[in-house]
Amino acid sequence: MRGTVMMNRKNRGLLNWIMLFQMFATISLSQTVKLGTLAPENSPWHEAMLALGEDWAEISNGNINIKLYAGGILGDEADMVRKMRIGQLNAAAVTVEGLMYIIPEIQVLGMPMLLQTDAELNYVRDQLSEYFRDLMEERGFILLTWSDAGWAHLFTNAPVIYPEDLNKTNQKVFIWAGGSGKRGWMDAGFTAVEVSAPDIFMSLQTGLITTLTTTPIIALSYQWFPMVPYVTDLRAGPLPGAIIITKKKWDKIPEALRVKLITQAEARGAALSEAVIALEIEAIEVMQKNGLHYLRAPDDAYLAWKQMVTTYMYPEILEKEVPEALYLRVEQLLADFRAGKKE
């Protein structure tokens, strides 16, 4: 009898250890990924991230779940990167403006008036993708997928075709708070104002800023365009982006799942970037029906803007963000691509 009691106690003890082990195993397998984005609810990017969350839950049998914080409720992209570094946030969908706080070298893809077509962007980025991924991992982040936001244009509250029109119409140019670019605009003789992302709408309403460089889809999604209802067909540059996750969080996800998760993220990112091309045309048409003036710029306008940004903006970018050797490599890649010679 006494032996039976001792055996039962041992069995119960063993059972408790088994249950405890299973509980911790479940905890280690189950991960909630807190992901932030400026993308407003119901926007193409928001919908793509919701779909990615469903994908990851299905792939992991419900163990990997994405908790999405959309619409900039966690602050602008710089704030989200800071929160990721201190562990308050695990992942983010950011544009080049946010990626710059991790790998400033990425700005080479967004240098004004440098890249001019989707084909050029895709080719140059493909050539540099491994370089960017390695830099990001060295600095504690994993690039899950590229995902673009379209092509940036200059939206203004009065017609602006040439650079000098900015002063003729008393434009105040929006600059990301804490970002680069202000010195270039000021050196060129224009007024530039730093504003954080959550304050853009109010700043447009009050006239604190009257010009901003953004994509048609974003201008429509955030309803900025009624306050800056003039835009030209000149492309200031692409707004490439990515979904990233901290390496610390990524390493907690079972290795057996990582390839499947990143493959699905890449598929969602590629599909979204492809859809953005058509959505951008649609966004312009919708805004035109609601008061947007879409102006055709003559060839000499492109040359005037190109000269302005090369003279006044490139020096700051090359000084603070993009190594000259990297810029020269991109110039060569572009020259080869345009000549039909690809690596």
Side-chain angles (χ1 to χ4, degrees):
M1 179 72 175
R2 188 174 180 182
T4 302
V5 171
M6 290 183 66
M7 183 64 69
N8 287 339
R9 286 177 180 173
K10 287 181 180 180
N11 288 340
R12 282 199 299 270
L14 180 60
L15 181 62
N16 287 338
W17 275 111
I18 291 172
M19 291 175 65
L20 190 62
F21 174 80
Q22 288 176 333
M23 181 182 73
F24 279 111
T26 301
I27 291 173
S28 65
L29 284 173
S30 179
Q31 297 288 335
T32 296
V33 178
K34 294 182 286 185
L35 190 154
T37 177
L38 288 182
E41 292 187 6
N42 302 316
S43 67
W45 302 279
H46 178 253
E47 292 174 358
M49 282 177 278
L50 288 175
L52 180 61
E54 294 175 358
D55 295 338
W56 278 22
E58 182 178 349
I59 289 169
S60 64
N61 293 319
N63 286 317
I64 310 297
N65 295 286
I66 293 177
K67 186 173 183 180
L68 187 58
Y69 299 87
I73 61 173
L74 297 180
D76 59 23
E77 293 188 348
D79 293 325
M80 287 189 280
V81 171
R82 282 193 289 270
K83 286 178 168 64
M84 291 174 75
R85 285 194 165 116
I86 61 176
Q88 292 181 349
L89 192 65
N90 309 126
V94 291
T95 66
V96 65
E97 299 296 337
L99 292 172
M100 283 169 50
Y101 290 95
I102 303 169
I103 50 169
E105 297 89 343
I106 195 72
Q107 177 61 17
V108 74
L109 297 179
M111 290 179 73
M113 315 300 287
L114 182 60
L115 304 174
Q116 283 294 297
T117 69
D118 292 295
E120 289 178 356
L121 170 61
N122 291 334
Y123 176 69
V124 171
R125 183 168 51 195
D126 286 348
Q127 297 301 314
L128 300 176
S129 188
E130 186 176 349
Y131 165 74
F132 290 135
R133 286 180 183 276
D134 289 345
L135 279 180
M136 196 165 290
E137 187 164 358
E138 287 172 10
R139 296 167 195 180
F141 295 84
I142 300 296
L143 194 153
L144 296 174
T145 181
W146 298 108
S147 178
D148 300 328
W151 288 85
H153 296 251
L154 202 68
F155 286 77
T156 56
N157 74 349
V160 170
I161 302 294
Y162 298 92
E164 56 266 29
D165 294 335
L166 289 169
N167 282 338
K168 289 179 182 178
T169 55
N170 299 312
Q171 297 297 307
K172 288 169 276 188
V173 181
F174 158 75
I175 298 294
W176 289 103
S180 64
K182 185 172 184 178
R183 191 183 84 188
W185 285 106
M186 301 291 280
D187 287 349
F190 305 118
T191 302
V193 181
E194 293 188 37
V195 175
S196 62
D199 298 327
I200 293 175
F201 190 88
M202 183 65 72
S203 298
L204 287 169
Q205 282 187 319
T206 61
L208 179 65
I209 55 174
T210 59
T211 292
L212 75 160
T213 305
T214 190
T215 71
I217 302 174
I218 294 175
L220 175 61
S221 297
Y222 282 105
Q223 287 296 294
W224 293 337
F225 78 92
M227 293 165 284
V228 280
Y230 294 89
V231 66
T232 73
D233 58 349
L234 288 177
R235 289 177 161 184
L239 192 61
I243 300 177
I244 58 176
I245 188 170
T246 62
K247 191 173 186 303
K248 183 177 180 181
K249 187 66 173 180
W250 187 244
D251 288 344
K252 290 181 179 179
I253 294 174
E255 190 172 357
L257 289 176
R258 292 179 203 164
V259 172
K260 293 179 181 179
L261 296 179
I262 206 166
T263 297
Q264 190 58 36
E266 289 174 343
R268 289 289 180 188
L272 180 58
S273 295
E274 186 67 25
V276 161
I277 297 172
L279 289 170
E280 189 157 272
I281 297 171
E282 183 180 329
I284 292 171
E285 291 174 349
V286 170
M287 289 188 289
Q288 281 182 293
K289 293 176 182 177
N290 289 275
L292 180 73
H293 303 275
Y294 190 69
L295 310 174
R296 301 292 177 182
D299 292 342
D300 64 335
Y302 169 81
L303 296 175
W305 284 103
K306 177 70 172 179
Q307 182 178 6
M308 189 274 284
V309 299
T310 303
T311 303
Y312 296 105
M313 296 185 175
Y314 281 22
E316 182 181 10
I317 294 171
L318 295 174
E319 176 186 320
K320 294 182 176 181
E321 296 156 357
V322 178
E324 185 175 5
L326 177 59
Y327 166 68
L328 292 175
R329 186 183 175 199
V330 170
E331 285 276 29
Q332 187 59 57
L333 287 170
L334 276 175
D336 292 344
F337 182 81
R338 290 167 180 169
K341 296 180 281 186
K342 301 179 182 180
E343 287 189 5

